[in-house]
């Protein structure tokens, strides 16, 4: 396949690009580098352009005879989306619509879409399956769910094919150690904990310990970025005309913020001081995936499911690149 990845210079995108290239597919990355890193793109041509630039997108699709798009470019911070919803609906939803139209104009009919567990909001039942109620509690989740709904309508009306992958908490890095997570500013739990272990920050702030969970801190389902990348390859290879399917991607095990910090202490041998602070807006207490549908429908099997493995691989990346891609 000839695959165009939006946001392919980002953390998840760079791992997905590598997995596709290893599976023998040709990749073109379109990224405006507002968050991504040119040096994270090693197995693809990089086109520096904005997804909103319809002319550039149509040219990239036709110049490279693209048959499948993987749309990863997005803003991803739930708390920021509460403060600045306009940014999320513009960048995630409106630009998603513009990309769909550029695809139609270029005659490209298949897309894998980066969706999120945030589409579920605060589900009562765990693990969450894809038929559970979609009821986001922050604009980030809503901005992604809007796109999922657009995909359903486009699949039916225009006979395009889509697979939405609902990511739970993605972490870790390619064990090769040359690509990894480098967000600026970093807001995610595992990289921040490791930055404390490296002495970049004095301590961790735990965002609330009064949730209804075993130790009072939020519970999440952490998935290795390479397992997530494998699922994109399987999805891209299986999209059928007129389909608009959604699959959860997680390991089916929940870990609290305190458990993540404790595992990182064991992996790094560092004390990692932590202090409880206030809750962060937009955080649901608990998110754990059932990925049974991805296993049955895509033949997906996570190969690096242990939290300690995920943290070890992240630790190897951070240790090797204390300043991320600036090194
Ligand atoms: N978290 C925390 N301190 C931090 C960063 C995150 O306690 O400095 C918590 C956050 O409130 C959430 C969990 O860690 O419950 C995972 O947050 P992250 O931002 O990594 O991913 P999210 O669940 O928002 O996608």
């Amino acid at each position: 396949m000839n695959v165009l990845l939006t946001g392919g210079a980002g953390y998840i995108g760079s791992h997905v690009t590598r997995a596709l290239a290893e599976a023998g597919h040709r990749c073109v990355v379109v990224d405006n580098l507002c968050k991504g890193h040119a040096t994270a793109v090693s197995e693809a041509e990089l086109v520096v352009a904005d997804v909103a630039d319809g002319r550039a997108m149509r040219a990239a699709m036709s110049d490279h005879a693209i048959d499948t798009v993987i749309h990863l470019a997005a803003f991803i911070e739930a708390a920021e989306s509460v403060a600045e919803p306009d940014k999320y609906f513009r960048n995630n939803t409106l630009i998603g619509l513009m990309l769909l139209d550029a695809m139609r104009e270029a005659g490209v009919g298949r897309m894998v879409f980066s969706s999120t567990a945030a589409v579920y909001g605060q589900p009562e039942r765990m693990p969450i399956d894809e038929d559970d109620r979609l009821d986001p509690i922050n604009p980030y989740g809503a901005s992604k769910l809007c796109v999922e709904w657009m995909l359903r309508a486009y699949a039916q009306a225009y006979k395009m094919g889509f697979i939405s992958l609902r990511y739970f908490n993605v972490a870790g890095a390619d064990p090769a150690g040359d690509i990894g997570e480098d967000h600026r500013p970093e807001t995610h739990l595992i990289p921040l904990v490791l930055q404390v272990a490296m002495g970049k920050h004095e301590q961790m702030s735990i965002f609330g310990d009064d949730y209804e969970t075993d130790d009072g801190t939020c519970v999440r389902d952490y998935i290795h970025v390479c397992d997530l990348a494998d699922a994109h390859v399987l999805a891209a290879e299986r999209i059928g005309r007129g389909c608009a399917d959604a699959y959860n991607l997680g390991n089916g095990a929940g870990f609290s913020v305190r458990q993540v910090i404790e595992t990182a202490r064991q992996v790094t041998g560092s004390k990692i001081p932590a202090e409880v602070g206030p809750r962060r807006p937009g955080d649901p207490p608990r998110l754990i995936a059932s990925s049974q549908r991805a296993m049955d429908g895509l033949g997906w099997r996570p190969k690096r499911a242990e939290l300690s493995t995920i943290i070890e691989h992240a630790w190897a990346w951070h240790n090797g690149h204390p300043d991320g891609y600036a090194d």
Side-chain angles (χ1 to χ4, degrees):
M1 281 187 301
N2 294 333
V3 184
L4 182 149
L5 298 99
T6 72
Y11 167 50
I12 295 172
S14 57
H15 288 81
V16 174
T17 304
R18 177 164 294 176
L20 285 162
E22 282 171 1
H25 301 297
R26 274 187 301 276
C27 299
V28 179
V29 164
V30 176
D31 201 301
N32 65 5
L33 301 180
C34 82
K35 305 258 178 190
H37 308 273
T39 44
V41 182
S42 52
E43 283 95 355
E45 182 183 330
L46 172 63
V47 175
V48 180
D50 221 287
V51 182
D53 181 347
R55 187 187 301 205
M57 294 307 295
R58 286 192 300 274
M61 287 187 255
S62 58
D63 290 352
H64 298 90
I66 294 300
D67 39 68
T68 305
V69 169
I70 301 194
H71 179 38
L72 299 127
F75 292 144
I76 56 165
E77 286 166 38
E80 181 185 63
S81 80
V82 175
E84 298 175 72
D86 60 324
K87 191 167 157 180
Y88 279 73
F89 286 108
R90 189 168 304 107
N91 193 60
N92 295 359
T93 311
L94 182 58
I95 289 182
L97 176 63
M98 293 164 79
L99 174 60
L100 283 174
D101 287 337
M103 287 173 62
R104 287 179 65 206
E105 286 159 25
V108 178
R110 296 149 43 93
M111 181 202 271
V112 179
F113 173 60
S114 294
S115 189
T116 167
V119 296
Y120 295 110
Q122 290 198 17
E124 284 121 41
R125 252 175 11 139
M126 293 293 147
I128 304 165
D129 73 42
E130 291 82 352
D131 296 326
D132 284 345
R133 194 157 52 103
L134 299 169
D135 191 10
I137 59 163
N138 54 54
Y140 166 59
S143 73
K144 289 278 185 173
L145 184 55
C146 288
V147 177
E148 285 201 28
W149 281 334
M150 294 193 298
L151 300 183
R152 267 211 311 237
Y154 272 52
Q156 209 184 14
Y158 308 127
K159 300 290 167 269
M160 297 168 82
F162 303 103
I163 292 184
S164 296
L165 299 177
R166 295 179 182 156
Y167 309 161
F168 282 63
N169 285 65
V170 188
D174 189 316
D178 59 332
I179 52 175
E181 195 161 7
D182 181 1
H183 295 119
R184 293 167 195 231
E186 189 52 77
T187 62
H188 292 107
L189 179 64
I190 289 180
L192 278 175
V193 168
L194 297 177
Q195 288 178 356
V196 174
M198 294 168 75
K200 287 190 149 194
H201 314 287
E202 260 170 37
Q203 61 177 14
M204 274 311 290
S205 174
I206 296 173
F207 295 151
D209 70 347
D210 56 351
Y211 288 95
E212 283 191 14
T213 58
D214 284 350
D215 67 17
T217 67
C218 288
V219 169
R220 296 287 182 273
D221 183 343
Y222 293 89
I223 171 172
H224 196 295
V225 66
C226 294
D227 286 337
L228 188 89
D230 290 345
H232 288 72
V233 178
L234 295 168
E237 290 171 347
R238 274 169 184 71
I239 301 173
R241 252 173 115 75
C243 92
D245 298 332
Y247 295 95
N248 289 342
L249 293 174
N251 281 309
F255 293 91
S256 70
V257 174
R258 284 194 193 283
Q259 286 174 314
V260 170
I261 295 173
E262 192 47 48
T263 308
R265 288 181 178 133
Q266 287 158 17
V267 168
T268 62
S270 160
K271 272 178 112 148
I272 313 185
E275 178 186 84
V276 177
R279 289 184 177 198
R280 184 174 69 175
D283 267 347
R286 183 191 284 268
L287 292 171
I288 302 170
S290 163
S291 300
Q292 196 57 48
R293 188 183 285 182
M295 296 191 194
D296 296 343
L298 302 177
W300 178 69
R301 298 282 179 280
K303 300 190 194 93
R304 309 133 183 114
E306 293 293 317
L307 180 63
S308 54
T309 308
I310 295 172
I311 294 180
E312 274 162 26
H313 292 170
W315 182 229
W317 155 256
H318 285 288
N319 255 325
H321 302 80
D323 287 317
Y325 288 102
D327 281 323

